[in-house]
Amino acid sequence: MRFTPLSLLGAYEVSLDRREDARGFFARIFCEQEFEQAGLNTRWVQMNMSHSNAKGTVRGMHFQHEPASEVKLVRCLHGEVWDAIVDLRLGSDSYGQYCAVNLKAVTGNAIYIPKGFAHGFQTLTADAELQYFHSAAYAPDHEGGINPFDSDLGIDWPMPAKSVSDRDRGLPGLADVSAL
């Protein structure tokens, strides 16, 4: 695996070292030793997946407040998504800034999201599926979010949003969310 630092401190794109032959390929998607050597979380307590039917679907920007704050490792299992994260860490030099990575099932790359970040994505293909590894169990009393279209975030989504939940559209803006 290769861990490429993103523009927001602590976030990484995780790329696979594929062993390929005429049959296809084999790749390790997680190795405790390699994650530990990179100084990353190695304990995953919950794994989830999402499926989005339509190209252009936007989900996010979601996070968990303490004490349920979590590290995430997100990978696209089918299709392609534009995955975005926003730094919400109190005192961070990049507070309120975002970065994004194209996650593609065909490459198997992933995004490593540290605690203190909001996460969301837009599907670039129909029938996109994501797999999430979480360092903490989901805690509904500690969930939070930011409106993905808040002008203070300035997220430049790659295409017009085709499908967005009423819940996500109704989330507060960055100015109304306390730092993590």
Side-chain angles (χ1 to χ4, degrees), residues 91-123:
S92 171
D93 290 341
S94 56
Y95 179 83
Q97 295 177 23
Y98 82 92
C99 71
V101 173
N102 273 31
L103 299 180
K104 301 176 183 182
V106 69
T107 63
N109 64 326
I111 186 169
Y112 178 90
I113 308 163
K115 289 182 179 183
F117 281 73
H119 170 254
F121 63 90
Q122 183 171 41
T123 59

Short mmCIF file of all heavy atoms in Angstrom, two decimals, residues 91-123:
data_model
loop_
_atom_site.label_atom_id
_atom_site.label_comp_id
_atom_site.label_asym_id
_atom_site.label_seq_id
_atom_site.Cartn_x
_atom_site.Cartn_y
_atom_site.Cartn_z
N GLY A 91 -8.65 24.94 16.05
CA GLY A 91 -7.29 25.46 16.01
C GLY A 91 -6.48 25.05 14.80
O GLY A 91 -5.31 25.43 14.67
N SER A 92 -7.05 24.29 13.89
CA SER A 92 -6.32 23.85 12.70
C SER A 92 -6.09 25.01 11.74
O SER A 92 -6.98 25.83 11.53
CB SER A 92 -7.10 22.74 11.99
OG SER A 92 -6.52 22.45 10.74
N ASP A 93 -4.91 25.07 11.14
CA ASP A 93 -4.62 26.10 10.14
C ASP A 93 -5.49 25.96 8.89
O ASP A 93 -5.66 26.92 8.15
CB ASP A 93 -3.14 26.04 9.71
CG ASP A 93 -2.20 26.50 10.81
OD1 ASP A 93 -2.65 27.20 11.75
OD2 ASP A 93 -1.00 26.17 10.73
N SER A 94 -6.03 24.76 8.67
CA SER A 94 -6.86 24.54 7.49
C SER A 94 -8.34 24.38 7.84
O SER A 94 -9.11 23.83 7.06
CB SER A 94 -6.36 23.31 6.72
OG SER A 94 -6.32 22.17 7.54
N TYR A 95 -8.74 24.90 9.02
CA TYR A 95 -10.14 24.81 9.44
C TYR A 95 -11.06 25.34 8.33
O TYR A 95 -10.84 26.42 7.77
CB TYR A 95 -10.39 25.61 10.72
CG TYR A 95 -11.83 25.55 11.16
CD1 TYR A 95 -12.30 24.47 11.88
CD2 TYR A 95 -12.73 26.55 10.80
CE1 TYR A 95 -13.64 24.38 12.26
CE2 TYR A 95 -14.07 26.47 11.17
CZ TYR A 95 -14.51 25.39 11.89
OH TYR A 95 -15.83 25.29 12.25
N GLY A 96 -12.11 24.58 8.01
CA GLY A 96 -13.10 24.98 7.02
C GLY A 96 -12.69 24.71 5.59
O GLY A 96 -13.50 24.89 4.68
N GLN A 97 -11.48 24.25 5.36
CA GLN A 97 -11.02 23.95 4.01
C GLN A 97 -11.38 22.52 3.64
O GLN A 97 -11.53 21.66 4.50
CB GLN A 97 -9.52 24.16 3.88
CG GLN A 97 -9.10 25.60 4.07
CD GLN A 97 -7.58 25.76 4.00
OE1 GLN A 97 -6.87 24.94 3.44
NE2 GLN A 97 -7.08 26.83 4.61
N TYR A 98 -11.48 22.28 2.34
CA TYR A 98 -11.79 20.93 1.88
C TYR A 98 -10.75 20.45 0.88
O TYR A 98 -10.02 21.25 0.29
CB TYR A 98 -13.19 20.86 1.26
CG TYR A 98 -13.28 21.31 -0.18
CD1 TYR A 98 -13.15 20.39 -1.22
CD2 TYR A 98 -13.49 22.64 -0.51
CE1 TYR A 98 -13.24 20.80 -2.54
CE2 TYR A 98 -13.58 23.06 -1.82
CZ TYR A 98 -13.45 22.14 -2.83
OH TYR A 98 -13.52 22.54 -4.14
N CYS A 99 -10.70 19.15 0.71
CA CYS A 99 -9.97 18.54 -0.40
C CYS A 99 -10.79 17.34 -0.85
O CYS A 99 -11.69 16.89 -0.14
CB CYS A 99 -8.54 18.16 -0.02
SG CYS A 99 -8.36 16.78 1.10
N ALA A 100 -10.49 16.84 -2.03
CA ALA A 100 -11.27 15.75 -2.59
C ALA A 100 -10.37 14.78 -3.35
O ALA A 100 -9.30 15.15 -3.84
CB ALA A 100 -12.36 16.29 -3.51
N VAL A 101 -10.84 13.54 -3.44
CA VAL A 101 -10.14 12.47 -4.15
C VAL A 101 -11.18 11.71 -4.97
O VAL A 101 -12.27 11.42 -4.46
CB VAL A 101 -9.45 11.50 -3.16
CG1 VAL A 101 -8.87 10.31 -3.88
CG2 VAL A 101 -8.40 12.21 -2.34
N ASN A 102 -10.85 11.38 -6.21
CA ASN A 102 -11.70 10.49 -6.99
C ASN A 102 -11.42 9.06 -6.51
O ASN A 102 -10.27 8.61 -6.58
CB ASN A 102 -11.38 10.59 -8.48
CG ASN A 102 -12.14 11.68 -9.16
OD1 ASN A 102 -12.46 12.69 -8.54
ND2 ASN A 102 -12.44 11.51 -10.42
N LEU A 103 -12.45 8.41 -6.01
CA LEU A 103 -12.33 7.01 -5.62
C LEU A 103 -12.96 6.17 -6.72
O LEU A 103 -14.10 6.41 -7.12
CB LEU A 103 -13.05 6.75 -4.29
CG LEU A 103 -12.54 7.53 -3.08
CD1 LEU A 103 -13.36 7.16 -1.84
CD2 LEU A 103 -11.07 7.29 -2.84
N LYS A 104 -12.20 5.18 -7.20
CA LYS A 104 -12.66 4.35 -8.32
C LYS A 104 -12.56 2.87 -7.93
O LYS A 104 -11.52 2.42 -7.45
CB LYS A 104 -11.78 4.58 -9.54
CG LYS A 104 -11.75 6.01 -10.02
CD LYS A 104 -10.78 6.15 -11.18
CE LYS A 104 -10.69 7.60 -11.61
NZ LYS A 104 -9.79 7.76 -12.76
N ALA A 105 -13.62 2.14 -8.19
CA ALA A 105 -13.59 0.70 -7.92
C ALA A 105 -12.49 0.03 -8.71
O ALA A 105 -11.81 -0.86 -8.21
CB ALA A 105 -14.95 0.08 -8.26
N VAL A 106 -12.26 0.48 -9.93
CA VAL A 106 -11.28 -0.16 -10.79
C VAL A 106 -9.86 -0.05 -10.24
O VAL A 106 -9.04 -0.93 -10.48
CB VAL A 106 -11.38 0.38 -12.25
CG1 VAL A 106 -10.93 1.82 -12.33
CG2 VAL A 106 -10.64 -0.51 -13.21
N THR A 107 -9.56 1.00 -9.48
CA THR A 107 -8.21 1.14 -8.91
C THR A 107 -8.16 0.69 -7.45
O THR A 107 -7.09 0.37 -6.94
CB THR A 107 -7.70 2.59 -8.99
OG1 THR A 107 -8.55 3.43 -8.19
CG2 THR A 107 -7.64 3.09 -10.41
N GLY A 108 -9.30 0.72 -6.77
CA GLY A 108 -9.35 0.29 -5.37
C GLY A 108 -8.76 1.28 -4.39
O GLY A 108 -8.55 0.95 -3.23
N ASN A 109 -8.49 2.51 -4.83
CA ASN A 109 -7.92 3.50 -3.91
C ASN A 109 -8.94 3.86 -2.83
O ASN A 109 -10.14 3.62 -2.98
CB ASN A 109 -7.43 4.74 -4.66
CG ASN A 109 -8.54 5.51 -5.34
OD1 ASN A 109 -9.52 4.95 -5.83
ND2 ASN A 109 -8.38 6.82 -5.41
N ALA A 110 -8.44 4.41 -1.74
CA ALA A 110 -9.29 4.77 -0.60
C ALA A 110 -8.84 6.12 -0.06
O ALA A 110 -7.76 6.62 -0.39
CB ALA A 110 -9.17 3.70 0.50
N ILE A 111 -9.69 6.71 0.77
CA ILE A 111 -9.33 7.94 1.47
C ILE A 111 -9.36 7.65 2.96
O ILE A 111 -10.30 7.04 3.48
CB ILE A 111 -10.26 9.12 1.09
CG1 ILE A 111 -9.77 10.43 1.72
CG2 ILE A 111 -11.70 8.83 1.42
CD1 ILE A 111 -10.46 11.68 1.18
N TYR A 112 -8.27 8.06 3.63
CA TYR A 112 -8.15 7.92 5.08
C TYR A 112 -8.51 9.27 5.68
O TYR A 112 -7.87 10.28 5.37
CB TYR A 112 -6.72 7.53 5.45
CG TYR A 112 -6.48 7.41 6.93
CD1 TYR A 112 -6.67 6.19 7.58
CD2 TYR A 112 -6.05 8.50 7.68
CE1 TYR A 112 -6.44 6.08 8.94
CE2 TYR A 112 -5.83 8.39 9.04
CZ TYR A 112 -6.02 7.18 9.67
OH TYR A 112 -5.79 7.06 11.02
N ILE A 113 -9.55 9.29 6.52
CA ILE A 113 -10.09 10.53 7.08
C ILE A 113 -9.89 10.52 8.59
O ILE A 113 -10.48 9.72 9.30
CB ILE A 113 -11.60 10.65 6.75
CG1 ILE A 113 -11.84 10.45 5.25
CG2 ILE A 113 -12.15 11.98 7.24
CD1 ILE A 113 -13.28 10.15 4.89
N PRO A 114 -9.04 11.43 9.10
CA PRO A 114 -8.81 11.46 10.55
C PRO A 114 -10.01 12.01 11.32
O PRO A 114 -10.94 12.57 10.72
CB PRO A 114 -7.60 12.37 10.71
CG PRO A 114 -7.39 13.06 9.43
CD PRO A 114 -8.25 12.40 8.39
N LYS A 115 -9.96 11.89 12.62
CA LYS A 115 -10.98 12.50 13.48
C LYS A 115 -11.00 14.00 13.23
O LYS A 115 -9.97 14.61 12.94
CB LYS A 115 -10.68 12.25 14.96
CG LYS A 115 -10.88 10.84 15.40
CD LYS A 115 -10.60 10.70 16.89
CE LYS A 115 -10.84 9.27 17.34
NZ LYS A 115 -10.64 9.13 18.79
N GLY A 116 -12.21 14.58 13.36
CA GLY A 116 -12.32 16.02 13.23
C GLY A 116 -12.60 16.50 11.82
O GLY A 116 -12.45 17.68 11.52
N PHE A 117 -13.03 15.59 10.95
CA PHE A 117 -13.36 15.95 9.58
C PHE A 117 -14.80 15.60 9.26
O PHE A 117 -15.33 14.61 9.75
CB PHE A 117 -12.46 15.19 8.60
CG PHE A 117 -11.08 15.75 8.46
CD1 PHE A 117 -10.15 15.60 9.47
CD2 PHE A 117 -10.71 16.43 7.31
CE1 PHE A 117 -8.87 16.11 9.35
CE2 PHE A 117 -9.43 16.95 7.18
CZ PHE A 117 -8.51 16.79 8.19
N ALA A 118 -15.42 16.42 8.41
CA ALA A 118 -16.72 16.07 7.83
C ALA A 118 -16.43 15.36 6.51
O ALA A 118 -15.41 15.62 5.85
CB ALA A 118 -17.54 17.33 7.58
N HIS A 119 -17.32 14.47 6.13
CA HIS A 119 -17.12 13.65 4.93
C HIS A 119 -18.38 13.63 4.08
O HIS A 119 -19.49 13.55 4.60
CB HIS A 119 -16.77 12.21 5.35
CG HIS A 119 -16.78 11.24 4.23
ND1 HIS A 119 -17.77 10.32 4.05
CD2 HIS A 119 -15.93 11.09 3.20
CE1 HIS A 119 -17.52 9.60 2.97
NE2 HIS A 119 -16.40 10.04 2.44
N GLY A 120 -18.19 13.68 2.78
CA GLY A 120 -19.29 13.54 1.83
C GLY A 120 -18.75 13.17 0.47
O GLY A 120 -17.55 13.12 0.25
N PHE A 121 -19.67 12.90 -0.46
CA PHE A 121 -19.22 12.52 -1.80
C PHE A 121 -20.32 12.79 -2.82
O PHE A 121 -21.49 12.97 -2.47
CB PHE A 121 -18.80 11.04 -1.86
CG PHE A 121 -19.90 10.06 -1.57
CD1 PHE A 121 -20.70 9.56 -2.59
CD2 PHE A 121 -20.13 9.62 -0.28
CE1 PHE A 121 -21.71 8.64 -2.33
CE2 PHE A 121 -21.15 8.71 0.00
CZ PHE A 121 -21.93 8.22 -1.04
N GLN A 122 -19.90 12.80 -4.09
CA GLN A 122 -20.84 12.85 -5.20
C GLN A 122 -20.53 11.68 -6.13
O GLN A 122 -19.36 11.43 -6.47
CB GLN A 122 -20.75 14.15 -5.99
CG GLN A 122 -21.79 14.20 -7.10
CD GLN A 122 -21.89 15.55 -7.77
OE1 GLN A 122 -20.90 16.20 -8.03
NE2 GLN A 122 -23.12 15.96 -8.04
N THR A 123 -21.57 10.96 -6.54
CA THR A 123 -21.37 9.83 -7.43
C THR A 123 -21.10 10.33 -8.85
O THR A 123 -21.78 11.22 -9.35
CB THR A 123 -22.60 8.90 -7.44
OG1 THR A 123 -23.75 9.64 -7.86
CG2 THR A 123 -22.85 8.31 -6.06
#
